Amino acid sequence: MMAGHRLRILTTYAFIAAGSFAGTTTLEAPARYAHIVPRLQLSEGQMLKNLHYEGNNIVMRGKRTPGGNFVDSGQTVALRWQQIAQSCRGVFVLRDSLFSQQDHPYKQQSYALMLPPSWITSAATTVQDGRPLVPMKVFLVEDDQAWANLDSINALFGSFPRSETLYKLAILPIDKAAPEEATQIRNARTALIALAKESRMLVDAAHLGPQVIMRVGAERISLADCTYFGTEIRRKHIIPIFVENPTLKEQSEGKGAYPPGRWTDPQIAKQATQIIYRRRLRDGDIAIERYDLSTASERKRAITLLEGLIPIGEELPTIVWLWVTGPLDSNGKLSGQNALPWISTFRKELVRSNVDGRRIVLLSKPSTFIPSGPQRKSVFEAQVDLFSQQHLPMSINLSTHGLLQLLEPSSPPIAAGQ
């Protein structure tokens, strides 16, 4: 057996965050498998140092109480993300809207809640239309009477996008709530106070116009990213994912630049997207999803976005990971055909564009499914070859444990240096 096709044991160490890994062995996959992107699972005890992973916010939050709250605080979970990210090449993290980020707004105490991008486009549109930008109205966490006196959701959120869930929780009295619900009330109020502080930055910039609002908002998002993960970890190991091209269901969840239930100027939305993404690219790589490459209009949409983000001639080291698909099923889930049949067409169009091809990586979704059964290993190896020949990363429906089961029969771990 050639040493180059064996797993290498690098280090063993303990993570100290409550509820996270008790101890983790860090392995290195053979170079043949370095393009594989497995899924991150909590408490598996092993990580592959030279691979990228797909993270999952719910999984990483850990255990829940009987009432559905997360046991660990936002700070504990943030530490867990930081530690795990450093044990691999990089982690893709969904961080693009109020409820799609690492902090849950009310099921745990938030640590570094991010201002949603759609709030920035909403604020910029309000100012462009000549309307005043009204700040949020919040109070001390324990002041039940003040929160109860909020007579409408508009009074709480001012000019900013509303969350019916957070409003209904915030106005409930803590002293009459059961313990689990009281925790949610406190968490919701804490999150609203954080959002009020962040959105106040936009209010204070309103007199300078919508362009300044967008730049200020982009800076606040960048600061939240670096606060949550740490500046160096963000730069070297964290790849935030943004849904720039959301489905109707995702739009209703606040993803993308268009806040649900209100009109947003399309030009403002495009400008804000470019400003936010470009600012985040200064901190490290980013990922953008998702584009059906079988559709000419979606290929054009992706290229137009990329030309504004990573144009030829701009000497920056950071990369855009573009998540691409083929036609997807209509069930609202990420299932259907992957992008491989259309990769060549899209790459030819990229060559003819003003996109710097050195700064883009295409990641095909849905993930490659590795079935069980006697042909499992041969199917896996064939897919490894296929993606390698296409010079593409290979997202798979396996965690470290499942991947090791496929690698170890022919690639047993060896001590580093052997």
Side-chain angles (χ1 to χ4, degrees):
M1 177 64 65
M2 295 175 60
H5 287 277
R6 296 180 181 177
L7 294 170
R8 295 176 59 227
I9 301 176
L10 300 179
T11 57
T12 301
Y13 53 92
F15 282 173
I16 62 173
S20 65
F21 293 5
T24 295
T25 300
T26 304
L27 307 171
E28 185 171 295
R32 166 174 170 75
Y33 306 106
H35 62 301
I36 292 177
V37 183
R39 296 177 181 177
L40 195 59
Q41 289 291 337
L42 196 58
S43 302
E44 282 195 324
Q46 293 175 311
M47 294 285 289
L48 290 157
K49 181 75 175 178
N50 58 330
L51 300 191
H52 288 92
Y53 280 78
E54 290 186 46
N56 183 291
N57 292 337
I58 296 175
V59 167
M60 290 294 289
R61 290 175 190 142
K63 296 179 180 179
R64 294 178 185 254
T65 64
N69 296 329
F70 292 100
V71 172
D72 295 327
S73 69
Q75 183 175 15
T76 297
V77 176
L79 180 60
R80 181 180 299 146
W81 275 109
Q82 293 165 23
Q83 293 167 328
I84 289 175
Q86 292 179 90
S87 69
C88 63
R89 191 174 175 186
V91 180
F92 295 98
V93 301
L94 184 59
R95 189 171 175 83
D96 73 341
S97 61
L98 180 56
F99 283 88
S100 289
Q101 56 180 301
Q102 287 61 53
D103 284 318
H104 193 283
Y106 68 87
K107 291 185 179 179
Q108 65 183 161
Q109 186 180 45
S110 57
Y111 174 65
L113 201 64
M114 179 199 71
L115 188 68
S118 63
W119 284 42
I120 297 166
T121 54
S122 176
T125 295
T126 298
V127 170
Q128 179 171 272
D129 289 349
R131 291 175 283 136
L133 195 56
V134 180
M136 294 177 65
K137 185 178 291 186
V138 295
F139 311 95
L140 296 175
V141 170
E142 299 294 331
D143 192 345
D144 276 350
Q145 188 59 55
W147 289 98
N149 287 340
L150 287 169
D151 56 3
S152 71
I153 193 170
N154 291 340
L156 171 58
F157 285 96
S159 296
F160 295 93
R162 289 87 167 107
S163 167
E164 191 79 26
T165 301
L166 292 183
Y167 170 69
K168 288 181 177 179
L169 273 173
I171 62 176
L172 293 175
I174 293 174
D175 59 359
K176 295 181 181 179
E180 290 265 23
E181 186 179 51
T183 296
Q184 292 190 358
I185 295 168
R186 289 189 174 95
N187 290 343
R189 291 178 182 177
T190 299
L192 288 165
I193 291 168
L195 289 169
K197 178 182 177 182
E198 292 300 303
S199 60
R200 184 74 210 196
M201 303 289 183
L202 307 185
V203 174
D204 291 344
H207 68 285
L208 298 173
Q211 292 291 326
V212 175
I213 286 176
M214 289 184 277
R215 290 198 295 270
V216 169
E219 289 292 338
R220 301 310 299 178
I221 287 176
S222 173
L223 179 61
D225 291 345
C226 292
T227 299
Y228 192 91
F229 298 106
T231 301
E232 284 303 304
I233 298 172
R234 161 69 181 99
R235 184 174 302 282
K236 295 178 180 178
H237 299 283
I238 295 294
I239 309 171
I241 308 170
F242 318 103
V243 181
E244 187 276 328
N245 189 17
T247 64
L248 290 175
K249 181 178 184 298
E250 288 171 329
Q251 288 181 29
S252 71
E253 297 169 348
K255 292 181 177 293
Y258 292 87
R262 59 174 63 195
W263 182 82
T264 300
D265 186 317
Q267 285 304 116
I268 289 287
K270 290 178 182 178
Q271 291 177 39
T273 297
Q274 289 283 344
I275 290 170
I276 293 168
Y277 290 9
R278 283 182 64 84
R279 178 61 188 86
R280 282 178 126 170
L281 271 171
R282 285 164 49 191
D283 294 328
D285 294 354
I286 67 172
I288 307 171
E289 61 171 309
R290 97 193 45 87
Y291 303 88
D292 177 358
L293 296 190
S294 71
T295 304
S297 61
E298 293 213 3
R299 296 198 303 270
K300 182 178 179 180
R301 175 174 178 154
I303 288 173
T304 299
L305 176 70
L306 291 169
E307 286 179 327
L309 294 179
I310 49 173
I312 294 172
E314 189 176 73
E315 295 299 324
L316 288 175
T318 49
I319 289 171
V320 172
W321 295 70
L322 196 75
W323 290 32
V324 293
T325 75
L328 296 178
D329 299 337
S330 59
N331 57 13
K333 298 180 180 179
L334 190 56
S335 60
Q337 192 169 354
N338 68 27
L340 266 62
W342 298 276
I343 290 291
S344 177
T345 296
F346 186 57
R347 281 177 168 160
K348 290 175 182 176
E349 293 173 350
L350 282 171
V351 169
R352 296 194 295 267
S353 74
N354 192 43
V355 176
D356 187 345
R358 300 169 302 173
R359 297 182 62 199
I360 181 171
V361 176
L362 304 180
L363 192 148
S364 177
K365 301 288 287 186
S367 298
T368 300
F369 178 73
I370 308 299
S372 57
Q375 302 303 314
R376 180 177 174 83
K377 175 68 171 175
S378 61
V379 169
F380 168 70
E381 294 293 345
Q383 289 295 312
V384 169
D385 287 336
L386 177 61
F387 279 83
S388 180
Q389 291 161 8
Q390 293 266 14
H391 303 287
L392 292 170
M394 175 179 159
S395 171
I396 58 172
N397 67 320
L398 299 174
S399 63
T400 301
H401 178 71
L403 179 57
L404 289 177
Q405 289 181 320
L406 288 167
L407 299 186
E408 288 181 336
S410 59
S411 306
I414 62 173
Q418 288 188 358

